[in-house]
Amino acid sequence: VIDMPQENVAYNEPQRFEFYNGVPRMMAPASAEHVTVAANIFAEFRNYLKHKKCKPFADGVSYILRENKKTEFIPDVSILCDTTKIHKNGKIYGAPDLAVEVFSKSTGKRDRMEKLPEYAKAGTQEFWIVNPYLKNVEVYLLNGDSYILDNVYQYYDEELMEDYNDDPDPNKEIPPQEIKVSLYADLIIKLEDIFDLW
């Protein structure tokens, strides 16, 4: 028996993987900021979608986008309108209608280079990349089989508001502080609710 240093002991933590073209991608633990932002978005979706056809899912649900070249993603938050895609094994065979990836340094490149085009090819109507550190949200909308960047929403917290108030330009306007979600005409998410940390 080899004694391992305490910090190297894994207490039976299950490893989570996504797959891209059959290649496994291990998912690292998320930061407190990451988890909080994802939870805030899920809460907003859940409150709005109660008793509606489309259903929100939090982190942990797998979407199998391609079986032949195994591509399986676990978005931080998602909305699915066709619940017949849910298999009895708990996985979803097909694309979400909306997928949210919260930025982290370890996965940011994959979100843009791998997930963004794969979700587009699979037919996901709306894709978000949310940065909890810069406090912004990139919203991509489906156009054919690829995405167009609809907008980058920047949250004006107290620090940015101070900069705004100090700006002498009288024509400067604060950019929109809420996101109009494409799936419903009245589904609007405030940036202050997304980036309400602690």
Side-chain angles (χ1 to χ4, degrees):
V1 177
I2 300 175
D3 290 331
M4 297 294 290
Q6 191 67 26
E7 62 270 21
N8 290 336
V9 175
Y11 293 97
N12 295 321
E13 265 190 43
Q15 294 290 344
R16 296 199 307 160
F17 292 89
E18 294 182 310
F19 292 87
Y20 175 66
N21 282 337
V23 178
R25 308 285 200 210
M26 190 171 72
M27 301 179 71
S31 68
E33 291 89 349
H34 182 120
V35 171
T36 303
V37 164
N40 289 346
I41 295 169
F42 173 74
E44 292 297 314
F45 288 167
R46 181 189 58 193
N47 289 340
Y48 176 85
L49 293 170
K50 189 174 183 180
H51 306 306
K52 291 185 173 64
K53 176 186 175 183
C54 300
K55 303 301 175 188
F57 291 95
D59 179 31
V61 175
S62 292
Y63 287 87
I64 298 175
L65 302 184
R66 289 194 293 160
E67 287 189 86
N68 57 339
K69 291 185 177 179
K70 188 174 174 67
T71 296
E72 180 177 342
F73 294 150
I74 304 173
D76 291 299
V77 186
S78 60
I79 294 176
L80 180 71
C81 296
D82 182 1
T83 55
T84 64
K85 294 179 180 178
I86 303 173
H87 193 269
K88 61 184 178 181
N89 65 9
K91 294 184 179 183
I92 298 171
Y93 287 75
D97 293 87
L98 184 151
V100 176
E101 294 292 348
V102 179
F103 174 87
S104 64
K105 292 179 181 177
S106 61
T107 63
K109 186 176 180 180
R110 292 204 305 251
D111 291 343
R112 296 180 191 283
M113 303 301 293
E114 298 176 359
K115 292 188 177 183
L116 189 147
E118 285 293 332
Y119 279 124
K121 282 187 244 177
T124 297
Q125 295 179 43
E126 188 167 338
F127 180 69
W128 294 12
I129 296 178
V130 182
N131 191 316
Y133 311 105
L134 298 178
K135 295 185 178 177
N136 63 36
V137 181
E138 299 173 27
V139 174
Y140 296 86
L141 298 179
L142 193 62
N143 182 28
D145 61 355
S146 62
Y147 285 123
I148 56 171
L149 178 61
D150 181 60
N151 207 342
V152 179
Y153 295 87
Q154 178 64 56
Y155 174 49
Y156 269 61
D157 56 12
E158 290 182 10
E159 185 177 342
L160 280 179
M161 278 304 298
E162 285 178 12
D163 293 342
Y164 171 80
N165 291 330
D166 291 339
D167 193 319
D169 182 358
N171 297 316
K172 185 176 179 182
E173 294 184 6
I174 298 176
Q177 293 296 288
E178 55 188 27
I179 301 171
K180 164 72 177 62
V181 181
S182 65
L183 300 182
Y184 287 89
D186 59 347
L187 177 47
I188 296 170
I189 309 297
K190 294 181 179 179
L191 296 181
E192 65 180 332
D193 293 327
I194 292 176
F195 297 110
D196 179 18
L197 296 177
W198 40 76

